[in-house]
Amino acid sequence: PGPTVAIVGATGAVGSVMIDILNSRENVPWGEIRLIASARSAGKKITVRGVEHTVVELSPEAFDGVDIAMFDVPDELSAQWAPVAVERGAIAVDNSGAFRMDPEVPLVVPEVNADRVHERPKGIIANPNCTTLSMMTALGALHREFGLRELVVSSYQAASGSGQEGIDRLQEEIAAVAGKQVGERAGDVAEALAAAGLLAEQTPFKAPLAMNVVPWCGSRKDDGWTSEELKVRNESRKILGIPELKVSATCVRVPVVTTHSLAVHAVFEREISVEQAHRLFEAAPSIVLQDDPAGEVFPTPAGVVGADPTYVGRVRQALDFPNTLEFFVCGDNLRKGAALNTYEIAETLVQD
Ligand code: 2RA
């Protein structure tokens, strides 16, 4: 039989997508698939690839016999339990922020730096934040040929980046404003939400998200930056292996349920044309190029949700900046942005 894989956090938003991925694969290399979750979800029955599995409670013994443990749990749980999984003999592939910037933990996007899976002194491999991940395949392809020097990014992040709570809040807000003549006066969206019982202090988004955009994702960091913006900078440098890469990001939440988008301004060492970029994107198996200005063809998050690849469009040579491309990427933040990349890291380990 093949190796044993565990999904830790199997009943959460990302864990559920992980199970979808397992169900949709034609072949999987696994002998046993073990579903692990908190005591609250233990005992739940979930069918994976036609076989009913009982979710087991997170405990040291739950990792006995596990070869690869994929973690989709909050940072503090990963920090506590990934080392336990390793002690019990597993390789931990972790989708939280707990280990991403640890110099002894590789941060892997298989299309960009699959070779890094071998250097894992702690037995842990980290999966990047979904915002960084959504543009990495495209940037990795360009960087290999043209040498990336600078990156300026604006994100358009979906509500599901804040988990099920974020999805529920956006749906409730949209229901509360639907059919109302709001959005024509400052504060009237917030008033409509409050009238529907959606209190400002209960939102994960700091401001109304329905009929709005919110330039704040993640937590507050020094000098006006947010955690998401610093993750884009630090993780891009680590994945691409360019410690001095100049990066500046503004992260914005938009009223989209799932799929993050990013507007990217990328400066390269060498001259680069739209045609050259198109060729690289077309050659990349996990990129779909949707870029036809004549036909007004471009990707949007609503057209990409549920898909595995990264969609790229609006590729332009910057008019006033040499060696610089502008482009727009959309990637499902729960699939490639989280569960799928974690799963692909696990597959890479098995192939090796
Ligand atoms: C967000 N990137 O979109 C985060 C989720 N990890 O909020």
Side-chain angles (χ1 to χ4, degrees), residues 135 139 142 148-156 232 236 245-250 262-268 272 313-329:
M135 62 179 176
L139 280 173
L142 298 174
L148 184 64
R149 261 188 26 212
E150 296 173 19
L151 194 55
V152 181
V153 175
S154 298
S155 74
Y156 304 78
V232 167
S236 297
L245 182 67
K246 291 184 178 171
V247 186
S248 205
T250 300
L262 295 108
V264 180
H265 169 102
V267 183
F268 297 91
I272 178 168
R314 301 295 328 279
V315 186
R316 289 148 290 150
Q317 239 167 335
L319 296 177
D320 298 319
F321 300 88
N323 304 354
T324 302
L325 283 186
E326 311 290 337
F327 57 92
F328 191 71
V329 295

Side-chain angles (χ1 to χ4, degrees), residues 100 129-131 157-158 160-162 217-218 228 231 253 260 333:
R100 287 180 187 139
N129 183 36
C130 49
T131 315
Q157 294 182 219
S160 57
S162 289
C217 298
E228 286 287 296
K231 284 178 193 179
R253 192 76 65 189
H260 286 355
N333 51 305

